Amino acid sequence: MSAIVLKSTEGLSREEWLAYRSLGIGGSDASVVCGVNKYKSPIELWLEKTGQAPPQEAGEAAHWGTLLEPLIREEFTQRSGIKVITVNQILQSREYPFMLANLDGVCRCPTHGKCVFEAKTANAFKAGEWDGDFVPQEYYLQVQHYLCVTGYNGAYIAVLIGGNAFQWRFVERDEEVISMLIKRERDFWTLVQDDVPPPPDGSNACARFLAKRYPNSEPASKIELPDSAADLIHQYNEASEQVEIFTEQKQKASNLLKHMLGEHETGTIGGDFVKWVTVTQERFNAKLLEAEQPEIHAKYTVKSTYRRFSISNKSKGSQLCMRSIS
């Protein structure tokens, strides 16, 4: 099985490239769809694919990763003896047209035939993620997605860590993982096509989406919640109690360290530095302006509306509140 060439990327502008990416799910989207990406939630990806939010801007790490890609490809060839051919194309799966691929390159393995090549960079703090033969989960899912699109049986991932440590891994085709990806990506793409958001998660993006989708409440309206709400209320209350405990622990540690510092600005122990620095700020006194110049205060006062979320327990006579994102 070979992939379809959807579009050549030669001379393609970033805007045009993003437009083609919106036609399906790419390899870097696979971990997001599976809910294991640390930097993007499924709801953020859904908003992008449905055109309700602009694609995330590439950060510094992605920028330098792109610039270093040719060097990583060349270094891999020099060390492994395996030649890598660049692929300036957007590929599409014949069987699953919602699955797209932008490959860094292709190469040939003596035992597995034609393979995917993927170049990565990682800062020194992430070196532990590459210990032994380990491949970070998001990259493992990315190359399995590519293997599904291309029909190849293996992939090489070369990584430059901290700018001075070079490694590479070989990843075999995993049919079980690929079957899982096909199902999850198909389900996600159905949500995109039907304009139905994925189930709520714990991300800030989801909170912003809900606040935008339901900006106002009907006064005095009431609804009977489903039985599953009881578990969520318990989860919310338990988490709130844990937050209070850890907040108090953090404050106690902070206070004890401040007491140790006294009038000193910096304290050291081993390789740690503790600072308690004097900071001078100027703040606008809105209350004073309201008292002395009420007309001016009223002229420049902007009214905002938000929905406040709270859970109250009659048996305990307590109320836990959380301000929502307006």
Side-chain angles (χ1 to χ4, degrees), residues 30-293:
S31 62
V32 183
V33 171
C34 293
V36 297
N37 191 291
K38 292 176 282 190
Y39 306 106
K40 183 185 285 189
S41 69
I43 190 72
E44 286 177 293
L45 182 63
W46 179 84
L47 289 168
E48 289 180 10
K49 297 298 183 183
T50 55
Q52 300 180 60
Q56 286 184 355
E57 288 293 325
E60 278 287 295
H63 170 72
W64 285 103
T66 301
L67 289 179
L68 292 170
E69 182 183 312
L71 295 177
I72 294 171
R73 190 163 47 234
E74 183 180 340
E75 186 67 19
F76 171 77
T77 296
Q78 288 185 359
R79 296 198 185 200
S80 68
I82 299 172
K83 184 179 179 180
V84 179
I85 300 171
T86 57
V87 180
N88 299 315
Q89 298 167 333
I90 299 174
L91 305 178
Q92 183 181 42
S93 169
R94 289 183 184 275
E95 192 172 356
Y96 312 105
F98 52 86
M99 299 180 75
L100 308 178
N102 257 126
L103 306 182
D104 291 342
V106 295
C107 56
R108 185 168 290 278
C109 170
T111 57
H112 290 72
K114 212 169 187 180
C115 292
V116 167
F117 174 80
E118 183 67 21
K120 296 294 182 188
T121 57
N123 65 46
F125 297 107
K126 293 187 176 181
E129 296 181 4
W130 296 89
D131 282 345
D133 296 326
F134 189 74
V135 174
Q137 189 175 24
E138 61 267 32
Y139 300 151
Y140 185 82
L141 293 174
Q142 181 178 3
V143 296
Q144 292 297 335
H145 172 101
Y146 290 156
L147 295 177
C148 179
V149 173
T150 60
Y152 299 166
N153 291 316
Y156 286 97
I157 304 179
V159 58
L160 179 64
I161 304 172
N164 57 11
F166 187 84
Q167 302 178 23
W168 76 83
R169 308 278 187 274
F170 181 75
V171 178
E172 290 194 43
R173 184 184 179 95
D174 189 326
E175 295 295 349
E176 187 176 348
V177 171
I178 287 174
S179 295
M180 178 273 292
L181 284 174
I182 292 169
K183 182 183 183 307
R184 293 204 179 187
E185 292 184 23
R186 180 193 285 121
D187 291 345
F188 183 85
W189 195 247
T190 298
L191 295 177
V192 172
Q193 291 180 313
D194 294 344
D195 199 28
V196 176
D201 55 35
S203 67
N204 290 330
C206 184
R208 290 192 296 269
F209 170 74
L210 293 173
K212 184 177 179 180
R213 189 171 194 184
Y214 307 110
N216 298 301
S217 58
E218 288 289 335
S221 59
K222 185 180 291 187
I223 186 176
E224 187 68 27
L225 297 173
D227 293 340
S228 58
D231 289 337
L232 294 174
I233 291 171
H234 175 72
Q235 179 182 329
Y236 178 89
N237 287 337
E238 195 173 58
S240 297
E241 291 173 3
Q242 290 296 315
V243 167
E244 291 177 5
I245 291 171
F246 287 120
T247 299
E248 184 177 347
Q249 289 178 352
K250 180 181 176 181
Q251 186 64 61
K252 182 178 179 180
S254 172
N255 289 341
L256 288 169
L257 288 167
K258 288 177 181 178
H259 180 65
M260 293 176 184
L261 285 169
E263 295 179 350
H264 297 92
E265 189 173 84
T266 303
T268 63
I269 177 170
D272 293 327
F273 293 82
V274 182
K275 290 192 174 186
W276 192 17
V277 183
T278 302
V279 179
T280 302
Q281 293 181 326
E282 291 185 1
R283 294 184 179 181
F284 180 71
N285 192 330
K287 288 186 177 181
L288 181 61
L289 178 64
E290 183 179 14
E292 297 184 354
Q293 302 287 343

Side-chain angles (χ1 to χ4, degrees), residues 7-21 90:
K7 182 69 177 178
S8 170
T9 56
E10 296 220 15
L12 207 64
S13 68
R14 175 170 171 76
E15 291 71 25
E16 291 172 319
W17 179 74
L18 289 172
Y20 276 98
R21 272 184 58 88
I90 299 174

